[in-house]
Every structure is written in C-alpha cells, then in structure tokens.
Amino acid sequence: MEKRNKKRILFTGGGTAGHVIVNLALIPYYQEQGYEVDYIGSYEGIERNLIEKLEGVTYHPVSTGKLRRYMSKENFKDPFKVLKGTMQAFRILGKRKPSVVFSKGGFVSVPVVAAAKLRGIPSVIHESDFTPGLANKLSIPFTKKVLATFPETMQYLPEKKAAYVGAVIRDELFTGDKKAGLAFAQLSGEKPVLLVMGGSGGSEKINSTIREALDDLLMQFDIIHICGSGKVDPSLRVPGYAQFEYVHEELKDIFAATDFVVSRAGSNAIFEFLALRKPMLLIPLSRGASRGDQIINANSFKEKKYAKVVEEETLTTEKLVQEAAALKKAAPVMLDEMKKYKSEESRNKVIEIIQSMQKK
C-alpha cells in the first residue's frame, strides 16, 4: 500500500468568491511549508478562475449540484450530479492522498467532504456566516471540525466539533499602496474614495442605483465601482468614476485608496473591510434571493456600529445618496468602534487546528 504523503493538503470550496477567499489566505502558508497543494472545485465556478492561475496548485474539477430556491427540472438531476461528484472526489483523494481536507463551503464542497470521510481522511470546515449554510450543514456529519467566524455561530454548531476562530484575512490586503490604487483607477485623490462592490457576481440593483445616483454622488466622492463580469457600462465615461468587472492583483491597492465602502454583506468581504477599518454601507442580498444570511451579517455589524444598512427592497437613488452622506458623517464613530476590533490571529488558529487534524 502506498504511503500517505504527510506534506499534502487538499482545499475545496466555491460557487462565490466568498467560498474561496479564506482558501486563498491559507494556501501560501502551506506552499511555504513545502506542502503539495490540491484543490477540488467545479467545472465552471468562479473558484476555477481564481485557483487555476495559482502557481503550484493542482486544480481538479468535479460534478456538482446547486441549491435552488425555486422549482426547476434541474433539481431532480442534482442528486445524481452530487453522487457523480462524490465518486470523482473519491478517486482524486485516493490518487493524491492528502493528510487533511480543508473546506470553505459552497455546494461543490459537499461531495468532497463526503468522499474524504469514505477515504478516512479528516476534514475541517470553515463557516463564515452568522448561521451555517446548507452545504456546510450537509457536510458537518462527515467532518472532524467546524470553524466559526462569528462567536454567535457556535450556538448553531455541534459542541464537540465547533471552534470559534474569527475572520481569516488575507495578509496581502494590508500591503496595499494608496498612490498605486488611485493611479490604477485614474483618480486624483482630491475627494474621498467610495468603493462600490456588489458581490462576486455583481448586483444589478446596486449597479443601476449607483449609476442613477452618479451625478449627486460625484459631488462628494470619487467612485471605484467593481460591477461584475460583463457589467461595465462603456457609455459611462465620467471624471471621478472608475469601473471594473473584477480586480485581482490590484485589489490591495484599491482597498488602500478607499475611504468608504458600499457593499453586499458577505461575511468574508465585510470582515476584510473591518480589519482594514473602512466604514461601510451594507446592502445585503434580499431574503427573496437568499436564505437571509447577509441580512443577519449586516445587522450584526450595524449593532456593533461598524456599518450602516439599507435593505435592497428599500433602496432608491435618493436613499442611496442620503445614506452615503450619512455614512461620511458617521465615519468617525465607526472608526473608533473598528479600532476596538482586534485581529485574533485567526489564520494561525486555523492552521493550528488543521495541523492537529492531519492523518499521521
């Protein structure tokens, strides 16, 4: 029998950028430690674009189902896709023989964690949101450990498996250069910079409302708008307004140049803004389009005075302009509260737990 390589780790997670970001924060450490790194994701998800370009990481696509909150004939096919994905992951794990699997969630992770259980390979799950998502709920019976970003999440997890670790922030985000960010966006820096992000898929509602409010907003801010793939409006060429589909390497510089943020309320993103001390106006994904996790995340940050919140159903051009002005006014209080938030060496905590779980 081939000996298991103790210096190999396999990551999984995808569907949205939020299900990849923590993996991106951890992968460099394992590469530095001499681990061979594998990643199982979907064939067409955003994780493939983000991971395949990483040097030294082997990407393995598998079949995966999708959680839909509406009736579709595809719902009847999904169990077979998950079964196929589990068989594919089972074969990959048997061939690559990692000592541990780390899962960031998303539906692609379910067959991977199930296959790891069948192979006798320990897995660790990371839950970013206030309440666990369905994919992680399905995976919990197969895993050794479930890590939580919010301390309140612990009440929803099995006590013997749960550990609170806080938010894992990418180290590179603290190395941004403000001048480089302003130059990349072709902004003068004479006005405060408002960064607008509608999630990895881009929000039609946020995009359209920002553009309708552009004349009023540009009186107060320069604007960097990350609007999603295929959602740049080429007809809008206005001084002080820079728009991008997605930003990769330059994101740290964009963050360094940013004074205020308008964003969805995905957990990974808002904790990054908190760590970087960027006052936020959060527009969470509505309950009609989600399980409501972003609303819970946003309200948690509002209670702690890290953010202001506008629900998508109430968002209008006038309200956006008013709330952006109110955000600017409330920023000193928000910044004082943000300074009380201390990084709890979350990345190191996660690494320690992963190390302790590895199969010898």
Side-chain angles (χ1 to χ4, degrees), residues 38-43 45 47-48 51-52 57-61:
D38 292 282
Y39 199 108
I40 294 181
S42 63
Y43 285 98
E47 66 273 17
R48 188 164 194 170
I51 298 297
E52 270 196 328
V57 179
T58 306
Y59 188 87
H60 310 271

Side-chain angles (χ1 to χ4, degrees), residues 205-267:
K205 178 70 171 177
I206 293 176
N207 288 350
S208 62
T209 309
I210 284 289
R211 286 165 178 157
E212 288 165 9
L214 208 52
D215 289 343
D216 289 327
L217 289 173
L218 286 172
M219 293 174 69
Q220 301 183 66
F221 309 97
D222 281 341
I223 298 171
I224 299 174
H225 187 181
I226 302 176
C227 47
S229 180
K231 295 177 181 176
V232 166
D233 184 346
S235 69
L236 276 177
R237 296 185 179 274
V238 184
Y241 175 64
Q243 51 181 330
F244 306 96
E245 288 190 348
Y246 201 79
V247 178
H248 294 281
E249 287 79 9
E250 301 87 358
L251 187 62
K252 63 182 185 299
D253 299 327
I254 293 291
F255 282 174
T258 294
D259 297 291
F260 306 99
V261 175
V262 173
S263 174
R264 285 296 194 200
S267 174

Side-chain angles (χ1 to χ4, degrees), residues 263-282:
S263 174
R264 285 296 194 200
S267 174
N268 294 300
I270 64 177
F271 271 103
E272 287 181 346
F273 297 141
L274 172 58
L276 295 168
R277 295 176 184 169
K278 307 296 179 183
M280 298 164 251
L281 173 60
L282 301 179

Side-chain angles (χ1 to χ4, degrees), residues 80-240:
F80 300 100
K81 291 180 181 177
V82 173
L83 181 60
K84 180 181 178 182
T86 304
M87 293 169 64
Q88 290 172 317
F90 186 81
R91 287 194 293 270
I92 293 164
L93 291 167
K95 181 180 179 182
R96 307 302 282 179
K97 295 181 172 58
S99 57
V100 66
V101 168
F102 182 81
S103 169
K104 188 56 205 74
F107 231 83
V108 70
S109 68
V110 178
V112 182
V113 175
K117 176 73 171 179
L118 292 171
R119 283 286 185 191
I121 300 170
S123 62
V124 178
I125 292 174
H126 186 275
E127 176 56 63
S128 289
D129 287 316
F130 197 99
T131 59
L134 179 57
N136 276 347
K137 283 182 181 177
L138 293 172
S139 298
I140 284 171
F142 306 116
T143 195
K144 290 280 188 182
K145 208 77 176 172
V146 191
L147 312 182
T149 298
F150 288 89
E152 296 92 338
T153 309
M154 296 291 284
Q155 64 186 300
Y156 303 105
L157 301 174
E159 188 177 346
K160 291 181 180 179
K161 291 185 176 183
Y164 166 64
V165 295
V168 179
I169 308 297
R170 292 172 283 176
D171 287 343
E172 68 192 68
L173 296 183
F174 296 96
T175 65
D177 182 281
K178 180 176 182 176
K179 288 184 179 178
L182 291 171
F184 177 73
Q186 297 183 333
L187 298 175
S188 67
E190 293 174 4
K191 295 179 185 175
V193 173
L194 180 69
L195 174 64
V196 181
M197 298 179 69
S200 55
S203 163
E204 295 286 0
K205 178 70 171 177
I206 293 176
N207 288 350
S208 62
T209 309
I210 284 289
R211 286 165 178 157
E212 288 165 9
L214 208 52
D215 289 343
D216 289 327
L217 289 173
L218 286 172
M219 293 174 69
Q220 301 183 66
F221 309 97
D222 281 341
I223 298 171
I224 299 174
H225 187 181
I226 302 176
C227 47
S229 180
K231 295 177 181 176
V232 166
D233 184 346
S235 69
L236 276 177
R237 296 185 179 274
V238 184

